[in-house]
Amino acid sequence: MSVTEDRPNVSRDPATNQMVERAQDEGIPTVFDRYKSQQPQCKFGTTGVCCRLCHMGPCRITTKAPQGICGANADTIVARNLLREIAAGTAAHSDHGRMLVRTLKLVANGAGGAYRIADPLRLREVARAFEVETEGRDDLALAGALADFFMTQFAWSEETNVTLTMAPEKRQALWEKLDIAPHGIDSAVVELMHRTHMGVDHDYKHLIMGGLKCSLADGWVGSLIATAVSDILFGTPKPIRSRVNLGVLSETKVNIIVHGHEPTLSEMLAVASSEPEMVAYAKEKGAAGINIAGICCTANEVLMRHGFPIAGNFLQQELAILTGAVEMMIVDVQCVMPSLPEVMKCFHTRLVSTSEIAQTFDAEQITFEAAHGLEHARNLIRAAIDNFANRDKARVQIPQESMELVAGFSNETIFHMLGGRFRSTFRPLNDAIIDGRIRGVVGIVGCNNPKVSSDNAHVTLTQELIKRNVLVLQTGCAAIACAKAGLLTPEAALAQAGDSLREVCEAVGIPPVLHMGSCVDNSRILLAATNVLLEGGLGEDLSDLPVAGAAPEWMSEKAVAIGHYFVASGLYVVLGHPLYVAGSENVDRLLTEEMEGITGGKFAWEPDPVAAADLIMAHIEGKRDALNINQKKERKLYDMKERRELV
Ligand code: SF4
Ligand code: MSK
């Protein structure tokens, strides 16, 4: 039976459905087939009550066996499993950040090959923010000092992480009071692994607070560092136009797909692909040129800075190969399916894995070194061009769908756009929120998941929120989903926005849905919320703001960490499907109810995107009531004398 016969809604994206049909016709298994063959999924796993943390187990909690062999109950087991996900998510984002800091240090030492400081202004701005001495230092010396400072943020220290000072003061004080301010990224991850080892931390409340601490090391430290260093090395994003979906692949050019998360090699691929010798070599081999497109967050990185097209989001990685038009897929880390080589075997595509820590069975391994980045990039592009001759034109099937988009909304850019020509400021945004023309701001982030029709919840939730005059910030695969549906074209999004949101967006020149980057760039969302707060008039802490987060189709452990650092930052987070905590009423209640009294934030689970929008609106309006900005202001007509007194 076809995967789409009994599940006609594999995706709301026609290009995805077309390629899934092709896979079915040709008997090539994809993620959607494997999802089916995993049904029914294990209830012990999905409710979080399966423990294999020691070899007396594994143990599974049931009504007949309410404790594991060691005596751990459902609360302990559920909380420990959750913490290990937070640790893994934090490690992934932060190791990505460390890789970038290493490259920054190489550049500073003159050993960075073709890498440069692309944004010296941002370098100085970031250094000043962390009190790294800028006086008397040229860019390279300053880059070295900043890289050294960032490296100190990974190791354990008596002091809490310095980058936490980017958060509002009241929030920092709360973290101190709750004892959840991390003392180093690596030690936060190690601490969670230690606490969840058999026979250590057993109190579910204490465990969950430990999880929040580690998640803060992700959002406010590791991810924040990754974003800042990417901006310094590769440039701070500015609005840029491009296209998205499988239709960006070319019938006539050499197609190279970059996939994963680390932007370092793809930056050099961007440079090398436009070199005249490379283009000439492609033409010599019968191609019209070189087309670099991305999947997942590497895609978002090269989109934000170079305007390179995006071939698709997470669930489209196998489908891109199924077009028969991809000469090479270059992968780095995270969200790369181990199934790719199997699909490759049916086509001429070459799969190249480039990270020293990530090898894929049957993929070619070319371990990337920053000092030789440009050389690696040229070699890979040449190899892809050579592979063009192996493309079987009769088997090429590229879906027509491709959509225009505008991305590149860093905080710095939003700041400048809102301030117009004269002064960078968030004031117009705050004023619009205070007077109710914008009801609030929501970050919609995260992956796709074959458990639900791909892209549908992202798109529907976004449409519902902009219709209700909420400004939407996006990253990751959520942004790609909405881009495919046309919501990242300012014109289309404005047409779907509520009247007052549209009026504000048109007046200040920003679209109602802002693509802010990759998964680590969720730190930009934290800083956007902080900027709004610091601008004034909307309370004293992040938890006072009419702001929320949502991950309607998430699947990754990184999303678990992200959700927790949003909640630890005082924000309301609606997930499209629950964390694996249903096996413990206590943990579930702590996360979805009691947490609000602790951090000011909490989780909700809601699969229906319209109902999720209702929940978010209720939260936003509640915050507006508490801020006293929902009061209808009486219109006062002034006489001439009163007007003079006002001047
Ligand atoms: Fe079982 Fe306890 Fe070992 Fe977990 S830690 S596997 S509950 S004995
Ligand atoms: S890539 S973590 S599937 S958003 Fe960042 Fe997409 Fe989720 Fe990976």
Side-chain angles (χ1 to χ4, degrees), residues 51-54 56-59 68-70 72 77 80 198:
C51 182
R52 49 183 293 278
L53 292 185
C54 89
M56 291 189 282
C59 302
I69 294 166
C70 66
I77 291 173
R80 287 194 307 206
M198 187 268 157

mmCIF file of all heavy atoms in Angstrom, residues 51-54 56-59 68-70 72 77 80 198, ligand 1:
data_model
loop_
_atom_site.group_PDB
_atom_site.id
_atom_site.type_symbol
_atom_site.label_atom_id
_atom_site.label_comp_id
_atom_site.label_asym_id
_atom_site.label_seq_id
_atom_site.Cartn_x
_atom_site.Cartn_y
_atom_site.Cartn_z
ATOM 1 N N CYS A 51 13.187 2.943 31.493
ATOM 2 C CA CYS A 51 14.509 3.349 31.980
ATOM 3 C C CYS A 51 15.541 2.270 31.657
ATOM 4 O O CYS A 51 15.328 1.092 31.929
ATOM 5 C CB CYS A 51 14.473 3.585 33.492
ATOM 6 S SG CYS A 51 16.073 4.148 34.123
ATOM 7 N N ARG A 52 16.652 2.702 31.047
ATOM 8 C CA ARG A 52 17.764 1.766 30.820
ATOM 9 C C ARG A 52 19.067 2.435 31.255
ATOM 10 O O ARG A 52 20.097 2.309 30.621
ATOM 11 C CB ARG A 52 17.806 1.294 29.367
ATOM 12 C CG ARG A 52 17.733 2.396 28.331
ATOM 13 C CD ARG A 52 17.717 1.864 26.918
ATOM 14 N NE ARG A 52 18.963 1.230 26.568
ATOM 15 C CZ ARG A 52 20.067 1.875 26.162
ATOM 16 N NH1 ARG A 52 20.033 3.190 26.046
ATOM 17 N NH2 ARG A 52 21.163 1.234 25.862
ATOM 18 N N LEU A 53 18.959 3.153 32.380
ATOM 19 C CA LEU A 53 20.133 3.881 32.855
ATOM 20 C C LEU A 53 21.113 2.986 33.606
ATOM 21 O O LEU A 53 22.195 3.424 33.949
ATOM 22 C CB LEU A 53 19.708 5.053 33.748
ATOM 23 C CG LEU A 53 18.965 6.182 33.027
ATOM 24 C CD1 LEU A 53 18.698 7.334 33.987
ATOM 25 C CD2 LEU A 53 19.742 6.693 31.836
ATOM 26 N N CYS A 54 20.709 1.760 33.939
ATOM 27 C CA CYS A 54 21.693 0.840 34.501
ATOM 28 C C CYS A 54 21.378 -0.561 34.006
ATOM 29 O O CYS A 54 20.320 -0.800 33.427
ATOM 30 C CB CYS A 54 21.716 0.910 36.029
ATOM 31 S SG CYS A 54 20.571 -0.215 36.832
ATOM 32 N N MET A 56 20.821 -3.280 35.702
ATOM 33 C CA MET A 56 19.836 -4.127 36.384
ATOM 34 C C MET A 56 18.571 -4.133 35.528
ATOM 35 O O MET A 56 17.816 -5.075 35.539
ATOM 36 C CB MET A 56 19.516 -3.571 37.769
ATOM 37 C CG MET A 56 20.647 -3.677 38.749
ATOM 38 S SD MET A 56 20.123 -3.255 40.427
ATOM 39 C CE MET A 56 20.067 -1.474 40.388
ATOM 40 N N GLY A 57 18.366 -3.011 34.805
ATOM 41 C CA GLY A 57 17.212 -2.847 33.943
ATOM 42 C C GLY A 57 17.465 -3.478 32.590
ATOM 43 O O GLY A 57 18.352 -4.320 32.461
ATOM 44 N N PRO A 58 16.745 -3.133 31.539
ATOM 45 C CA PRO A 58 15.784 -2.028 31.530
ATOM 46 C C PRO A 58 14.530 -2.299 32.365
ATOM 47 O O PRO A 58 14.114 -3.445 32.523
ATOM 48 C CB PRO A 58 15.410 -1.916 30.039
ATOM 49 C CG PRO A 58 15.844 -3.164 29.391
ATOM 50 C CD PRO A 58 16.880 -3.790 30.238
ATOM 51 N N CYS A 59 13.954 -1.170 32.860
ATOM 52 C CA CYS A 59 12.740 -1.246 33.661
ATOM 53 C C CYS A 59 11.646 -0.415 33.007
ATOM 54 O O CYS A 59 11.930 0.635 32.439
ATOM 55 C CB CYS A 59 12.994 -0.689 35.062
ATOM 56 S SG CYS A 59 14.317 -1.529 35.941
ATOM 57 N N GLY A 68 11.079 0.884 39.325
ATOM 58 C CA GLY A 68 12.135 0.118 38.694
ATOM 59 C C GLY A 68 12.843 -0.736 39.731
ATOM 60 O O GLY A 68 12.562 -0.638 40.932
ATOM 61 N N ILE A 69 13.775 -1.560 39.281
ATOM 62 C CA ILE A 69 14.442 -2.499 40.189
ATOM 63 C C ILE A 69 15.142 -1.753 41.334
ATOM 64 O O ILE A 69 15.147 -2.177 42.486
ATOM 65 C CB ILE A 69 15.437 -3.376 39.399
ATOM 66 C CG1 ILE A 69 14.644 -4.273 38.432
ATOM 67 C CG2 ILE A 69 16.293 -4.241 40.324
ATOM 68 C CD1 ILE A 69 15.476 -4.934 37.356
ATOM 69 N N CYS A 70 15.686 -0.568 41.031
ATOM 70 C CA CYS A 70 16.398 0.208 42.073
ATOM 71 C C CYS A 70 15.430 0.966 42.984
ATOM 72 O O CYS A 70 15.842 1.527 43.993
ATOM 73 C CB CYS A 70 17.351 1.198 41.416
ATOM 74 S SG CYS A 70 16.484 2.476 40.489
ATOM 75 N N ALA A 72 13.340 3.421 41.614
ATOM 76 C CA ALA A 72 12.963 4.686 40.957
ATOM 77 C C ALA A 72 11.509 4.611 40.514
ATOM 78 O O ALA A 72 11.087 3.609 39.926
ATOM 79 C CB ALA A 72 13.870 4.930 39.756
ATOM 80 N N ILE A 77 11.989 8.576 36.778
ATOM 81 C CA ILE A 77 12.408 8.044 35.471
ATOM 82 C C ILE A 77 12.054 9.029 34.352
ATOM 83 O O ILE A 77 12.881 9.336 33.483
ATOM 84 C CB ILE A 77 11.763 6.654 35.236
ATOM 85 C CG1 ILE A 77 12.402 5.642 36.204
ATOM 86 C CG2 ILE A 77 11.928 6.209 33.787
ATOM 87 C CD1 ILE A 77 11.755 4.276 36.204
ATOM 88 N N ARG A 80 14.387 12.059 34.565
ATOM 89 C CA ARG A 80 15.770 11.763 34.144
ATOM 90 C C ARG A 80 15.860 11.624 32.625
ATOM 91 O O ARG A 80 16.801 12.115 32.001
ATOM 92 C CB ARG A 80 16.258 10.466 34.811
ATOM 93 C CG ARG A 80 16.546 10.618 36.287
ATOM 94 C CD ARG A 80 17.325 9.451 36.862
ATOM 95 N NE ARG A 80 16.721 8.142 36.604
ATOM 96 C CZ ARG A 80 16.905 7.084 37.384
ATOM 97 N NH1 ARG A 80 17.673 7.177 38.463
ATOM 98 N NH2 ARG A 80 16.361 5.923 37.092
ATOM 99 N N MET A 198 22.440 6.412 37.442
ATOM 100 C CA MET A 198 21.736 5.600 38.438
ATOM 101 C C MET A 198 22.183 5.997 39.853
ATOM 102 O O MET A 198 23.380 6.119 40.132
ATOM 103 C CB MET A 198 22.075 4.116 38.177
ATOM 104 C CG MET A 198 21.292 3.142 39.030
ATOM 105 S SD MET A 198 22.162 2.748 40.543
ATOM 106 C CE MET A 198 20.807 2.225 41.573
HETATM 107 FE FE1 SF4 B 1 15.871 0.095 36.364
HETATM 108 FE FE2 SF4 B 1 16.724 1.815 38.266
HETATM 109 FE FE3 SF4 B 1 18.465 0.753 36.545
HETATM 110 FE FE4 SF4 B 1 16.647 2.529 35.687
HETATM 111 S S1 SF4 B 1 18.300 2.920 37.104
HETATM 112 S S2 SF4 B 1 17.244 0.619 34.677
HETATM 113 S S3 SF4 B 1 14.890 2.036 36.986
HETATM 114 S S4 SF4 B 1 17.241 -0.329 38.053
#
